[in-house]
Amino acid sequence: MNGGGREGDRRDDEVRGARRIPGPRGAVDDLDLEAVPRPVLPPPGGNAPDEAVPEQGAPEGDGDVRDAVPEAGAADEPDAVDESEPAMTSATSAPSTATPVLSHQVLKALLGAWALSACSAEETAAVEDHLTVCAPCADEALRLRDAVGLLHTDGSLDLDPTLRTRVMDGCLGRRPARIPVPDWATPYDAETARLDALLRDIGDSEWHAPVRLQWFEDERPVTRRTTVAGVIGHLMAVDGLVSAALGLDDPLGRVEVPLSPARRTETYWAATRPPATRAVREPWRDLTHELIRTASLAGRNVAERSVSYGDFALPLQDALLDRAFECWVHGTDIAEAVDYPYKPPSAAHLHRMIDLAARLLPAALAGRRSAGLAGPAKELVAPGEPGRSVHLEVEGHGGGDWYIPLDSPAAVGSPRRAVAQVALDGVEFCRLVAGHISPVEAAAGQEGDREAIRDVLFASASLSRL
Protein backbone atom coordinates (compact mmCIF):
# COMPACT_ATOMS: atom_id res chain seq x y z
CA MET A 1 0.00 0.00 0.00
CA ASN A 2 1.25 3.55 -0.73
CA GLY A 3 1.41 6.43 1.68
CA GLY A 4 -2.00 7.77 0.65
CA GLY A 5 -3.88 4.77 2.01
CA ARG A 6 -4.77 3.38 -1.50
CA GLU A 7 -3.78 0.06 -2.91
CA GLY A 8 -2.34 0.91 -6.31
CA ASP A 9 -4.77 2.97 -8.39
CA ARG A 10 -7.81 0.87 -7.36
CA ARG A 11 -10.87 2.89 -6.44
CA ASP A 12 -12.05 1.87 -2.94
CA ASP A 13 -15.28 3.81 -2.42
CA GLU A 14 -17.09 1.28 -0.26
CA VAL A 15 -16.72 0.25 3.37
CA ARG A 16 -18.46 -2.93 4.45
CA GLY A 17 -20.64 -2.93 1.35
CA ALA A 18 -22.15 0.54 1.94
CA ARG A 19 -21.05 3.68 0.10
CA ARG A 20 -19.94 5.99 2.91
CA ILE A 21 -17.21 8.34 1.58
CA PRO A 22 -16.67 10.30 -1.62
CA GLY A 23 -14.30 9.16 -4.35
CA PRO A 24 -10.63 9.23 -3.40
CA ARG A 25 -8.41 12.17 -4.14
CA GLY A 26 -4.75 12.62 -3.40
CA ALA A 27 -3.96 12.20 0.29
CA VAL A 28 -2.24 15.05 2.09
CA ASP A 29 1.00 13.13 2.48
CA ASP A 30 1.17 12.65 -1.32
CA LEU A 31 1.72 16.38 -1.77
CA ASP A 32 5.19 17.78 -2.41
CA LEU A 33 5.30 19.98 0.68
CA GLU A 34 8.58 21.59 -0.37
CA ALA A 35 6.92 23.02 -3.49
CA VAL A 36 3.98 24.57 -1.57
CA PRO A 37 4.63 28.24 -0.69
CA ARG A 38 4.52 28.86 3.04
CA PRO A 39 3.50 32.18 4.65
CA VAL A 40 6.09 34.13 6.60
CA LEU A 41 4.97 34.50 10.23
CA PRO A 42 4.89 38.05 11.70
CA PRO A 43 7.81 39.02 13.95
CA PRO A 44 7.37 38.29 17.71
CA GLY A 45 6.28 41.03 20.05
CA GLY A 46 3.10 42.23 18.38
CA ASN A 47 0.10 41.22 16.33
CA ALA A 48 -0.17 42.18 12.72
CA PRO A 49 -3.20 44.31 11.82
CA ASP A 50 -6.13 42.53 10.27
CA GLU A 51 -5.61 44.11 6.86
CA ALA A 52 -1.89 43.40 6.80
CA VAL A 53 -0.74 40.42 4.75
CA PRO A 54 2.82 39.09 5.28
CA GLU A 55 5.15 39.24 2.34
CA GLN A 56 5.71 36.01 0.48
CA GLY A 57 9.18 34.55 0.64
CA ALA A 58 10.88 34.02 -2.71
CA PRO A 59 12.14 30.63 -3.91
CA GLU A 60 15.86 30.21 -4.01
CA GLY A 61 17.53 30.98 -7.34
CA ASP A 62 14.80 33.36 -8.57
CA GLY A 63 16.51 36.60 -9.42
CA ASP A 64 13.35 38.50 -10.46
CA VAL A 65 11.15 38.68 -7.39
CA ARG A 66 8.06 40.87 -7.03
CA ASP A 67 6.13 41.76 -3.90
CA ALA A 68 3.24 39.37 -3.32
CA VAL A 69 1.08 42.25 -2.03
CA PRO A 70 0.58 45.40 -4.10
CA GLU A 71 1.06 48.79 -2.58
CA ALA A 72 -1.86 50.76 -1.27
CA GLY A 73 -4.08 51.95 -4.07
CA ALA A 74 -2.72 49.50 -6.59
CA ALA A 75 -5.80 47.31 -6.26
CA ASP A 76 -7.80 50.01 -8.00
CA GLU A 77 -5.65 49.74 -11.09
CA PRO A 78 -6.32 46.70 -13.33
CA ASP A 79 -2.71 46.51 -14.47
CA ALA A 80 -1.42 46.43 -10.85
CA VAL A 81 -1.83 42.67 -10.69
CA ASP A 82 0.58 40.44 -12.54
CA GLU A 83 -1.57 37.58 -13.92
CA SER A 84 1.56 35.62 -14.71
CA GLU A 85 1.87 34.56 -11.01
CA PRO A 86 -1.37 32.68 -10.18
CA ALA A 87 0.35 30.39 -7.66
CA MET A 88 1.66 33.36 -5.70
CA THR A 89 -1.75 35.01 -5.60
CA SER A 90 -3.46 31.76 -4.52
CA ALA A 91 -0.97 31.21 -1.74
CA THR A 92 -1.49 34.62 -0.26
CA SER A 93 -5.28 34.11 -0.11
CA ALA A 94 -5.10 30.86 1.98
CA PRO A 95 -6.32 31.15 5.60
CA SER A 96 -3.65 31.18 8.31
CA THR A 97 -5.53 28.65 10.56
CA ALA A 98 -5.58 25.63 8.23
CA THR A 99 -5.81 22.03 9.51
CA PRO A 100 -2.31 20.75 10.42
CA VAL A 101 -0.68 18.63 7.75
CA LEU A 102 0.06 15.15 9.17
CA SER A 103 1.38 12.09 7.40
CA HIS A 104 -0.71 9.00 6.76
CA GLN A 105 1.25 7.03 9.35
CA VAL A 106 0.63 9.65 12.04
CA LEU A 107 -3.08 9.89 11.22
CA LYS A 108 -3.45 6.11 11.27
CA ALA A 109 -1.78 6.01 14.69
CA LEU A 110 -4.30 8.59 15.96
CA LEU A 111 -7.34 6.49 15.01
CA GLY A 112 -7.50 4.77 18.41
CA ALA A 113 -7.37 8.05 20.32
CA TRP A 114 -9.91 9.53 17.89
CA ALA A 115 -12.32 6.64 18.50
CA LEU A 116 -12.04 7.29 22.26
CA SER A 117 -12.57 11.06 21.70
CA ALA A 118 -9.13 11.69 23.19
CA CYS A 119 -7.67 13.80 20.35
CA SER A 120 -7.25 17.57 20.40
CA ALA A 121 -9.51 19.67 18.20
CA GLU A 122 -6.79 20.07 15.57
CA GLU A 123 -6.00 16.34 15.54
CA THR A 124 -9.70 15.48 15.32
CA ALA A 125 -10.14 17.76 12.30
CA ALA A 126 -7.07 16.29 10.61
CA VAL A 127 -8.21 12.71 11.20
CA GLU A 128 -11.75 13.35 9.97
CA ASP A 129 -10.45 15.10 6.85
CA HIS A 130 -8.22 12.10 6.19
CA LEU A 131 -11.12 9.64 6.58
CA THR A 132 -12.90 11.24 3.64
CA VAL A 133 -10.05 10.33 1.28
CA CYS A 134 -8.66 7.09 2.75
CA ALA A 135 -11.06 4.13 2.64
CA PRO A 136 -8.86 1.67 4.61
CA CYS A 137 -8.50 4.14 7.48
CA ALA A 138 -12.25 4.86 7.36
CA ASP A 139 -12.94 1.14 7.66
CA GLU A 140 -10.53 0.84 10.58
CA ALA A 141 -12.08 3.87 12.26
CA LEU A 142 -15.52 2.27 11.99
CA ARG A 143 -14.26 -0.93 13.62
CA LEU A 144 -12.61 1.02 16.44
CA ARG A 145 -15.78 3.02 17.12
CA ASP A 146 -17.75 -0.24 17.31
CA ALA A 147 -15.20 -1.62 19.78
CA VAL A 148 -15.45 1.52 21.93
CA GLY A 149 -19.20 0.99 22.10
CA LEU A 150 -18.60 -2.39 23.73
CA LEU A 151 -16.58 -0.71 26.49
CA HIS A 152 -19.56 1.38 27.57
CA THR A 153 -22.03 -1.26 28.75
CA ASP A 154 -24.74 -0.88 31.36
CA GLY A 155 -24.57 -4.56 32.25
CA SER A 156 -23.28 -5.77 35.60
CA LEU A 157 -19.56 -6.43 35.79
CA ASP A 158 -20.07 -9.10 38.45
CA LEU A 159 -19.39 -12.67 37.47
CA ASP A 160 -22.25 -15.03 36.81
CA PRO A 161 -22.73 -17.11 39.99
CA THR A 162 -22.89 -20.24 37.83
CA LEU A 163 -19.52 -19.47 36.17
CA ARG A 164 -17.50 -21.40 38.72
CA THR A 165 -19.72 -24.46 38.37
CA ARG A 166 -19.52 -24.34 34.58
CA VAL A 167 -15.75 -23.96 34.61
CA MET A 168 -15.37 -26.83 37.09
CA ASP A 169 -17.73 -29.03 35.09
CA GLY A 170 -15.71 -28.32 31.95
CA CYS A 171 -12.44 -29.14 33.70
CA LEU A 172 -13.78 -32.28 35.32
CA GLY A 173 -15.30 -33.35 32.00
CA ARG A 174 -11.81 -33.37 30.52
CA ARG A 175 -10.11 -34.86 33.56
CA PRO A 176 -12.43 -36.32 36.24
CA ALA A 177 -11.43 -35.81 39.86
CA ARG A 178 -9.82 -38.84 41.43
CA ILE A 179 -11.87 -38.20 44.59
CA PRO A 180 -14.88 -36.06 43.63
CA VAL A 181 -16.82 -33.83 46.04
CA PRO A 182 -20.04 -35.64 47.05
CA ASP A 183 -23.14 -34.28 45.37
CA TRP A 184 -24.71 -33.42 48.74
CA ALA A 185 -21.66 -31.27 49.64
CA THR A 186 -21.63 -29.18 46.45
CA PRO A 187 -24.06 -26.47 47.73
CA TYR A 188 -21.75 -25.84 50.71
CA ASP A 189 -18.72 -25.82 48.41
CA ALA A 190 -20.38 -23.30 46.08
CA GLU A 191 -21.73 -20.94 48.74
CA THR A 192 -18.48 -20.77 50.71
CA ALA A 193 -16.64 -19.98 47.46
CA ARG A 194 -19.13 -17.20 46.60
CA LEU A 195 -18.87 -15.67 50.05
CA ASP A 196 -15.08 -15.84 49.95
CA ALA A 197 -15.10 -14.01 46.59
CA LEU A 198 -17.13 -11.21 48.21
CA LEU A 199 -14.70 -11.03 51.15
CA ARG A 200 -11.69 -10.77 48.84
CA ASP A 201 -13.27 -7.76 47.11
CA ILE A 202 -13.93 -5.57 50.15
CA GLY A 203 -11.40 -3.23 51.73
CA ASP A 204 -9.93 -3.33 55.23
CA SER A 205 -12.28 -0.67 56.60
CA GLU A 206 -15.36 -2.55 55.36
CA TRP A 207 -14.56 -5.47 57.65
CA HIS A 208 -15.72 -3.20 60.48
CA ALA A 209 -18.95 -2.18 58.72
CA PRO A 210 -21.98 -2.77 60.99
CA VAL A 211 -24.17 -5.77 60.12
CA ARG A 212 -27.60 -6.40 61.60
CA LEU A 213 -28.35 -10.09 62.09
CA GLN A 214 -32.05 -11.01 62.25
CA TRP A 215 -34.02 -14.04 63.32
CA PHE A 216 -37.42 -14.95 64.81
CA GLU A 217 -37.77 -15.99 68.44
CA ASP A 218 -40.67 -16.27 70.88
CA GLU A 219 -43.20 -15.03 68.32
CA ARG A 220 -41.25 -11.83 67.66
CA PRO A 221 -38.31 -10.68 65.53
CA VAL A 222 -34.89 -10.42 67.19
CA THR A 223 -31.86 -8.49 65.95
CA ARG A 224 -28.19 -8.39 66.93
CA ARG A 225 -25.56 -5.95 65.70
CA THR A 226 -22.06 -7.06 64.82
CA THR A 227 -19.49 -6.41 62.07
CA VAL A 228 -18.53 -8.16 58.85
CA ALA A 229 -15.65 -9.82 60.69
CA GLY A 230 -18.05 -10.81 63.48
CA VAL A 231 -20.35 -12.55 60.97
CA ILE A 232 -17.45 -14.63 59.61
CA GLY A 233 -16.46 -15.52 63.16
CA HIS A 234 -20.05 -16.64 63.79
CA LEU A 235 -19.99 -18.87 60.68
CA MET A 236 -16.67 -20.41 61.76
CA ALA A 237 -17.93 -21.04 65.30
CA VAL A 238 -21.00 -22.93 64.05
CA ASP A 239 -18.95 -24.80 61.43
CA GLY A 240 -17.12 -26.25 64.44
CA LEU A 241 -20.18 -28.44 65.07
CA VAL A 242 -19.57 -30.16 61.73
CA SER A 243 -15.80 -30.36 62.24
CA ALA A 244 -16.36 -32.08 65.61
CA ALA A 245 -18.60 -34.69 63.94
CA LEU A 246 -15.81 -35.39 61.41
CA GLY A 247 -13.13 -35.67 64.07
CA LEU A 248 -11.39 -32.39 63.17
CA ASP A 249 -10.10 -29.71 65.52
CA ASP A 250 -12.66 -27.33 66.96
CA PRO A 251 -11.97 -23.73 65.83
CA LEU A 252 -12.84 -22.57 69.37
CA GLY A 253 -10.05 -24.65 70.86
CA ARG A 254 -10.03 -27.52 73.33
CA VAL A 255 -12.06 -25.76 76.03
CA GLU A 256 -15.50 -27.02 76.91
CA VAL A 257 -18.07 -24.92 75.06
CA PRO A 258 -21.84 -25.25 74.76
CA LEU A 259 -23.12 -27.11 71.74
CA SER A 260 -25.87 -24.73 70.59
CA PRO A 261 -24.93 -22.42 67.70
CA ALA A 262 -25.95 -19.29 69.61
CA ARG A 263 -23.88 -20.13 72.71
CA ARG A 264 -20.88 -21.07 70.58
CA THR A 265 -21.12 -17.74 68.76
CA GLU A 266 -21.38 -15.76 72.01
CA THR A 267 -18.33 -17.64 73.32
CA TYR A 268 -16.33 -16.74 70.21
CA TRP A 269 -17.38 -13.08 70.28
CA ALA A 270 -16.50 -12.80 73.97
CA ALA A 271 -13.04 -14.24 73.31
CA THR A 272 -12.23 -11.83 70.45
CA ARG A 273 -11.36 -8.56 72.16
CA PRO A 274 -10.66 -6.26 70.36
CA PRO A 275 -13.17 -7.23 67.65
CA ALA A 276 -12.02 -9.50 64.85
CA THR A 277 -10.54 -8.05 61.66
CA ARG A 278 -10.08 -9.42 58.16
CA ALA A 279 -7.56 -11.87 59.65
CA VAL A 280 -10.55 -14.11 60.46
CA ARG A 281 -11.06 -14.87 56.77
CA GLU A 282 -8.10 -17.24 56.39
CA PRO A 283 -8.96 -19.62 59.28
CA TRP A 284 -12.63 -19.67 58.24
CA ARG A 285 -11.74 -20.48 54.62
CA ASP A 286 -9.21 -23.11 55.68
CA LEU A 287 -11.88 -24.77 57.82
CA THR A 288 -14.40 -24.86 54.95
CA HIS A 289 -11.79 -26.47 52.68
CA GLU A 290 -10.96 -29.03 55.35
CA LEU A 291 -14.63 -29.93 55.88
CA ILE A 292 -15.17 -30.51 52.15
CA ARG A 293 -11.93 -32.47 51.79
CA THR A 294 -12.68 -34.70 54.79
CA ALA A 295 -16.27 -35.34 53.69
CA SER A 296 -14.99 -36.30 50.22
CA LEU A 297 -12.41 -38.74 51.58
CA ALA A 298 -14.64 -40.32 54.22
CA GLY A 299 -16.73 -42.42 51.82
CA ARG A 300 -20.45 -42.86 51.31
CA ASN A 301 -21.54 -43.78 54.85
CA VAL A 302 -20.36 -40.46 56.26
CA ALA A 303 -23.40 -38.70 54.78
CA GLU A 304 -25.61 -40.15 57.54
CA ARG A 305 -23.24 -39.35 60.41
CA SER A 306 -25.09 -37.34 63.06
CA VAL A 307 -24.16 -33.71 63.74
CA SER A 308 -25.43 -32.43 67.08
CA TYR A 309 -26.79 -28.89 67.37
CA GLY A 310 -27.57 -29.22 71.07
CA ASP A 311 -31.37 -29.24 70.96
CA PHE A 312 -31.52 -31.32 67.78
CA ALA A 313 -29.29 -33.24 65.38
CA LEU A 314 -28.99 -33.49 61.60
CA PRO A 315 -27.32 -36.00 59.28
CA LEU A 316 -24.03 -34.66 57.92
CA GLN A 317 -25.48 -34.18 54.43
CA ASP A 318 -28.29 -32.02 55.83
CA ALA A 319 -25.90 -30.22 58.20
CA LEU A 320 -23.71 -29.12 55.27
CA LEU A 321 -26.84 -28.03 53.38
CA ASP A 322 -27.86 -26.01 56.45
CA ARG A 323 -24.37 -24.44 56.52
CA ALA A 324 -24.68 -23.58 52.82
CA PHE A 325 -28.01 -21.86 53.51
CA GLU A 326 -26.49 -19.84 56.34
CA CYS A 327 -23.50 -18.83 54.18
CA TRP A 328 -25.88 -17.44 51.58
CA VAL A 329 -28.12 -15.65 54.12
CA HIS A 330 -25.20 -14.04 55.96
CA GLY A 331 -23.44 -13.34 52.66
CA THR A 332 -26.51 -11.30 51.73
CA ASP A 333 -26.36 -9.52 55.11
CA ILE A 334 -22.73 -8.59 54.47
CA ALA A 335 -23.43 -7.53 50.88
CA GLU A 336 -26.19 -5.17 52.03
CA ALA A 337 -23.87 -3.68 54.66
CA VAL A 338 -21.09 -2.91 52.16
CA ASP A 339 -23.35 -2.20 49.15
CA TYR A 340 -22.19 -5.21 47.14
CA PRO A 341 -24.35 -7.10 44.58
CA TYR A 342 -25.08 -10.64 45.70
CA LYS A 343 -27.37 -13.07 43.90
CA PRO A 344 -29.28 -16.09 45.24
CA PRO A 345 -27.81 -19.58 44.85
CA SER A 346 -28.30 -21.58 41.69
CA ALA A 347 -31.79 -23.00 41.19
CA ALA A 348 -30.68 -26.58 41.92
CA HIS A 349 -28.98 -25.60 45.20
CA LEU A 350 -31.82 -23.32 46.28
CA HIS A 351 -34.31 -26.14 45.64
CA ARG A 352 -32.36 -28.37 48.02
CA MET A 353 -32.35 -25.68 50.71
CA ILE A 354 -36.12 -25.24 50.41
CA ASP A 355 -36.56 -29.00 50.54
CA LEU A 356 -34.57 -29.19 53.80
CA ALA A 357 -36.77 -26.51 55.37
CA ALA A 358 -39.92 -28.34 54.20
CA ARG A 359 -38.65 -31.58 55.76
CA LEU A 360 -37.99 -29.81 59.07
CA LEU A 361 -41.43 -28.19 59.25
CA PRO A 362 -43.39 -31.20 60.68
CA ALA A 363 -41.04 -31.41 63.70
CA ALA A 364 -41.19 -27.62 64.12
CA LEU A 365 -45.00 -27.77 64.08
CA ALA A 366 -44.99 -30.51 66.70
CA GLY A 367 -42.64 -28.47 68.92
CA ARG A 368 -44.82 -25.39 68.68
CA ARG A 369 -47.91 -27.45 69.42
CA SER A 370 -46.27 -28.84 72.56
CA ALA A 371 -45.49 -25.27 73.64
CA GLY A 372 -49.08 -24.20 73.03
CA LEU A 373 -48.11 -21.98 70.08
CA ALA A 374 -49.96 -23.95 67.36
CA GLY A 375 -53.44 -25.34 66.96
CA PRO A 376 -54.20 -28.82 68.38
CA ALA A 377 -53.92 -31.94 66.27
CA LYS A 378 -57.27 -32.81 64.70
CA GLU A 379 -56.73 -36.15 62.95
CA LEU A 380 -53.99 -38.33 64.36
CA VAL A 381 -52.81 -41.08 62.02
CA ALA A 382 -50.35 -43.94 62.27
CA PRO A 383 -46.71 -43.22 61.30
CA GLY A 384 -46.24 -43.37 57.56
CA GLU A 385 -49.94 -42.84 56.83
CA PRO A 386 -51.20 -39.79 54.87
CA GLY A 387 -52.62 -37.09 57.10
CA ARG A 388 -54.02 -33.60 56.89
CA SER A 389 -51.60 -31.49 54.89
CA VAL A 390 -50.87 -27.98 53.69
CA HIS A 391 -49.81 -27.63 50.07
CA LEU A 392 -46.67 -25.45 50.06
CA GLU A 393 -46.24 -24.11 46.54
CA VAL A 394 -42.90 -22.36 46.07
CA GLU A 395 -42.72 -20.43 42.83
CA GLY A 396 -39.89 -19.09 40.73
CA HIS A 397 -36.20 -19.73 41.32
CA GLY A 398 -35.67 -23.20 42.85
CA GLY A 399 -39.37 -23.74 43.42
CA GLY A 400 -41.55 -26.83 43.62
CA ASP A 401 -44.44 -28.40 45.53
CA TRP A 402 -44.34 -29.81 49.06
CA TYR A 403 -47.11 -31.24 51.24
CA ILE A 404 -46.56 -30.54 54.94
CA PRO A 405 -48.30 -32.95 57.38
CA LEU A 406 -50.06 -31.01 60.12
CA ASP A 407 -51.05 -33.40 62.93
CA SER A 408 -48.06 -35.68 63.37
CA PRO A 409 -44.40 -35.38 62.33
CA ALA A 410 -44.45 -39.08 61.42
CA ALA A 411 -47.38 -38.69 59.02
CA VAL A 412 -46.93 -38.36 55.28
CA GLY A 413 -48.07 -35.27 53.40
CA SER A 414 -50.71 -36.06 50.79
CA PRO A 415 -52.29 -34.03 47.97
CA ARG A 416 -55.56 -35.85 48.63
CA ARG A 417 -55.57 -34.73 52.28
CA ALA A 418 -54.60 -31.11 51.62
CA VAL A 419 -56.76 -28.68 53.59
CA ALA A 420 -54.98 -25.46 52.56
CA GLN A 421 -52.54 -24.03 50.07
CA VAL A 422 -49.79 -21.44 50.54
CA ALA A 423 -47.89 -19.93 47.59
CA LEU A 424 -44.61 -18.02 48.00
CA ASP A 425 -41.65 -17.04 45.88
CA GLY A 426 -38.56 -19.19 46.47
CA VAL A 427 -36.31 -16.40 47.76
CA GLU A 428 -39.18 -14.95 49.81
CA PHE A 429 -39.77 -18.33 51.49
CA CYS A 430 -36.06 -18.56 52.35
CA ARG A 431 -36.16 -15.06 53.84
CA LEU A 432 -39.07 -16.23 56.01
CA VAL A 433 -37.14 -19.34 57.11
CA ALA A 434 -34.10 -17.15 57.89
CA GLY A 435 -36.19 -14.84 60.07
CA HIS A 436 -35.61 -11.81 57.82
CA ILE A 437 -39.36 -11.23 57.40
CA SER A 438 -42.18 -12.06 59.79
CA PRO A 439 -44.97 -14.52 58.92
CA VAL A 440 -47.43 -11.63 58.78
CA GLU A 441 -45.28 -9.78 56.23
CA ALA A 442 -44.71 -12.79 53.99
CA ALA A 443 -46.22 -12.13 50.57
CA ALA A 444 -48.15 -15.40 50.44
CA GLY A 445 -51.12 -16.51 48.40
CA GLN A 446 -53.44 -18.32 50.80
CA GLU A 447 -56.43 -20.57 50.32
CA GLY A 448 -58.19 -22.95 52.68
CA ASP A 449 -57.86 -23.56 56.44
CA ARG A 450 -56.56 -20.29 57.89
CA GLU A 451 -55.35 -21.84 61.13
CA ALA A 452 -53.30 -24.45 59.25
CA ILE A 453 -51.78 -21.72 57.03
CA ARG A 454 -50.85 -19.62 60.06
CA ASP A 455 -49.25 -22.61 61.80
CA VAL A 456 -47.09 -23.42 58.75
CA LEU A 457 -45.94 -19.83 58.26
CA PHE A 458 -45.02 -19.35 61.92
CA ALA A 459 -43.33 -22.76 62.03
CA SER A 460 -41.24 -21.70 59.00
CA ALA A 461 -40.09 -18.55 60.80
CA SER A 462 -39.29 -20.56 63.94
CA LEU A 463 -36.61 -22.47 61.99
CA SER A 464 -34.45 -19.32 62.08
CA ARG A 465 -31.74 -18.83 64.71
CA LEU A 466 -28.63 -16.79 65.32
Side-chain angles (χ1 to χ4, degrees), residues 19-245:
R19 200 174 190 85
R20 297 171 50 255
I21 59 178
R25 64 176 185 266
V28 292
D29 52 331
D30 287 338
L31 298 175
D32 185 0
L33 300 181
E34 296 298 329
V36 177
R38 303 181 183 180
V40 179
L41 298 177
N47 295 329
D50 292 341
E51 66 274 6
V53 180
E55 294 184 354
Q56 181 65 35
E60 294 184 3
D62 190 351
D64 185 12
V65 180
R66 300 188 182 187
D67 291 337
V69 181
E71 296 180 358
D76 298 331
E77 301 177 8
D79 57 350
V81 178
D82 189 349
E83 297 180 358
S84 64
E85 298 182 7
M88 189 71 72
T89 304
S90 175
T92 58
S93 63
S96 60
T97 58
T99 302
V101 177
L102 302 175
S103 69
H104 175 81
Q105 288 75 13
V106 172
L107 292 166
K108 185 175 182 180
L110 287 173
L111 290 179
W114 174 83
L116 292 168
S117 300
C119 289
S120 66
E122 294 79 8
E123 290 171 337
T124 300
V127 170
E128 291 177 351
D129 286 347
H130 179 63
L131 296 182
T132 64
V133 298
C134 181
C137 285
D139 192 30
E140 179 68 13
L142 182 62
R143 287 195 295 268
L144 290 173
R145 272 288 165 91
D146 291 342
V148 169
L150 297 176
L151 299 177
H152 301 284
T153 175
D154 296 331
S156 173
L157 297 179
D158 297 294
L159 295 178
D160 185 346
T162 65
L163 178 61
R164 181 179 184 273
T165 301
R166 289 189 279 113
V167 171
M168 292 297 294
D169 288 345
C171 294
L172 294 175
R174 292 174 177 267
R175 184 178 179 182
R178 185 174 61 181
I179 303 176
V181 175
D183 183 62
W184 45 267
T186 54
Y188 180 69
D189 184 26
E191 291 309 309
T192 52
R194 288 208 308 139
L195 178 55
D196 187 53
L198 184 159
L199 298 177
R200 287 199 306 268
D201 275 358
I202 65 178
D204 290 342
S205 62
E206 291 175 307
W207 281 83
H208 303 286
V211 179
R212 187 166 65 98
L213 302 180
Q214 307 172 67
W215 67 98
F216 200 75
E217 188 176 286
D218 297 332
E219 303 294 285
R220 61 184 179 86
V222 181
T223 62
R224 175 69 184 271
R225 291 178 65 86
T226 183
T227 63
V228 172
V231 174
I232 302 304
H234 159 62
L235 290 175
M236 183 170 64
V238 183
D239 280 344
L241 298 173
V242 183
S243 64

Side-chain angles (χ1 to χ4, degrees), residues 50 78 82 129 156 205 215 223 241 254-256 261 263 293 299-300 311 367-368 371 379 389 396 400 414 458:
D50 292 341
D82 189 349
D129 286 347
S156 173
S205 62
W215 67 98
T223 62
L241 298 173
R254 296 182 179 276
V255 297
E256 290 293 331
R263 303 272 313 261
R293 184 183 304 111
R300 295 181 179 178
D311 297 334
R368 289 178 56 81
E379 296 182 14
S389 306
S414 170
F458 273 81

Side-chain angles (χ1 to χ4, degrees), residues 305-466:
R305 185 175 299 181
S306 179
V307 178
S308 174
Y309 283 74
D311 297 334
F312 63 96
L314 291 175
L316 178 62
Q317 57 184 351
D318 286 343
L320 282 183
L321 191 55
D322 168 75
R323 305 306 305 134
F325 177 80
E326 191 165 0
C327 275
W328 165 47
V329 170
H330 289 322
T332 303
D333 293 335
I334 293 172
E336 291 176 354
V338 300
D339 194 20
Y340 189 97
Y342 205 69
K343 295 183 179 180
S346 67
H349 293 171
L350 186 61
H351 181 84
R352 294 186 185 186
M353 296 175 189
I354 296 172
D355 179 71
L356 174 62
R359 289 187 282 115
L360 294 176
L361 279 177
L365 276 169
R368 289 178 56 81
R369 186 175 292 115
S370 298
L373 300 175
K378 296 182 179 179
E379 296 182 14
L380 295 177
V381 297
E385 293 294 325
R388 282 193 327 131
S389 306
V390 169
H391 177 198
L392 176 62
E393 181 181 1
V394 180
E395 303 171 336
H397 195 64
D401 295 276
W402 288 266
Y403 291 87
I404 313 301
L406 293 170
D407 299 321
S408 171
V412 175
S414 170
R416 293 183 293 105
R417 301 295 309 277
V419 297
Q421 179 178 1
V422 180
L424 297 93
D425 175 74
V427 174
E428 193 78 358
F429 176 71
C430 289
R431 285 170 50 82
L432 174 63
V433 171
H436 281 46
I437 58 174
S438 72
V440 177
E441 297 170 340
Q446 305 175 8
E447 182 180 1
D449 190 326
R450 295 297 176 182
E451 184 183 52
I453 292 172
R454 180 185 182 280
D455 287 345
V456 168
L457 291 177
F458 273 81
S460 299
S462 71
L463 295 175
S464 63
R465 63 174 188 274
L466 172 62

